[in-house]
Amino acid sequence: MNKPTRQFLSTMLLFLTASASWSDAKAGIGGRPAHVGNFYFLLFDNDFDTHTAVLTTKNYAGDATGSNSYSSNVVIPATIKAENKYNEMTTYTVIGIDNYAFYGSTSIKSVDIPKTVVSIGKMAFEDCTSLEQITVDPGNQKYYAKDNVLYDFAQTELIVCAKTKTGKFTVPGDVQKIDEYAFQGCTEITEIVLPSGLKNSEEGVFSGCSKLT
C-alpha cells in the first residue's frame, strides 16, 4: 500500500470514528469525563482502537447551564494524553466542541480551533461577550475563519461572529444559513447586508446588537 493510500484510509477512519463519537456525545452516550490541563473533555474509546475526545463544559453536562470555565486566550489542543478505559495513558484526538461548550465564558478573548475538529455543537460560543478573535488551523477541512467570523469550510453556514465587529458587515454571498445567536452581543455593528441566497436564519441571530439600524 502506497503512502497516499495509507493517508487517505487513515483520514477516512478518523472521520468515521469522529462521526460515531460525535453522535454519542450529542446523545450523552459513553463519554468518560476528563480534566486535562485547563480543559474539560468527554473521552471515547472506539472499536477500531481509535481514541477521540470532545471538548465540553466544566460540569460535563453539555447543557445550557453554563460553566464560565474558560477564559483569556483559548488554544484548543489537537491531541491530549489521558487514561483510557483500561487505565493506560493514551493519546486522544480532539474531534469536537460540545453544545454550549463555552457558554457564559465572558472572559474569553480568543479561540484557536485545531485541524482535527470536525464537529461544533449548537451555541458553543453563546454569551462569550468578550470574544475578539477566532482562528482555525489552515489544515482543517470542516471549518474556516475569516476576519474573526467562523464558517463551515464551504462558507455556506455562518456559525459565530467575534464581538468586536464594528460598522457595516456584509455576509458572504455563499452563506445559506446563519446559526443561533451568531451575532449576539455585537454591540458595535450598525448594518448587516444579507446575501440573496440566505435560506435559514436561526433564533436570536441579532440578539443584543443594540446599534443595528
Side-chain angles (χ1 to χ4, degrees), residues 136-175:
V136 177
D137 187 291
N140 192 304
Q141 298 182 19
K142 289 287 289 185
Y143 297 101
Y144 172 79
K146 182 178 180 181
D147 298 330
N148 298 315
V149 180
L150 179 63
Y151 305 90
D152 70 328
F153 189 75
Q155 293 187 67
T156 58
E157 178 181 357
L158 192 155
I159 299 167
V160 67
C161 177
K163 309 311 173 187
T164 52
K165 284 290 181 186
T166 61
K168 178 180 177 180
F169 177 71
T170 300
V171 177
D174 290 336
V175 170

Side-chain angles (χ1 to χ4, degrees), residues 43-84:
L43 305 180
F44 298 87
D45 299 296
N46 300 296
D47 294 338
F48 298 103
D49 198 31
T50 300
H51 308 280
T52 55
V54 173
L55 186 144
T56 189
T57 62
K58 184 177 182 179
N59 59 17
Y60 303 111
D63 59 23
T65 58
S67 65
N68 294 298
S69 56
Y70 298 106
S71 62
S72 191
N73 302 310
V74 177
V75 180
I76 301 172
T79 61
I80 59 170
K81 290 282 190 179
E83 287 189 355
N84 63 20

Side-chain angles (χ1 to χ4, degrees), residues 113-134:
I113 299 170
K115 65 181 180 180
T116 54
V117 167
V118 297
S119 294
I120 297 176
K122 66 178 183 179
M123 292 188 284
F125 303 97
E126 185 182 354
D127 270 349
C128 294
T129 53
S130 299
L131 184 60
E132 300 174 354
Q133 182 175 341
I134 304 169

Side-chain angles (χ1 to χ4, degrees), residues 76-92:
I76 301 172
T79 61
I80 59 170
K81 290 282 190 179
E83 287 189 355
N84 63 20
K85 59 185 178 181
Y86 303 110
N87 299 318
E88 302 168 335
M89 291 302 294
T90 303
T91 299
Y92 286 80

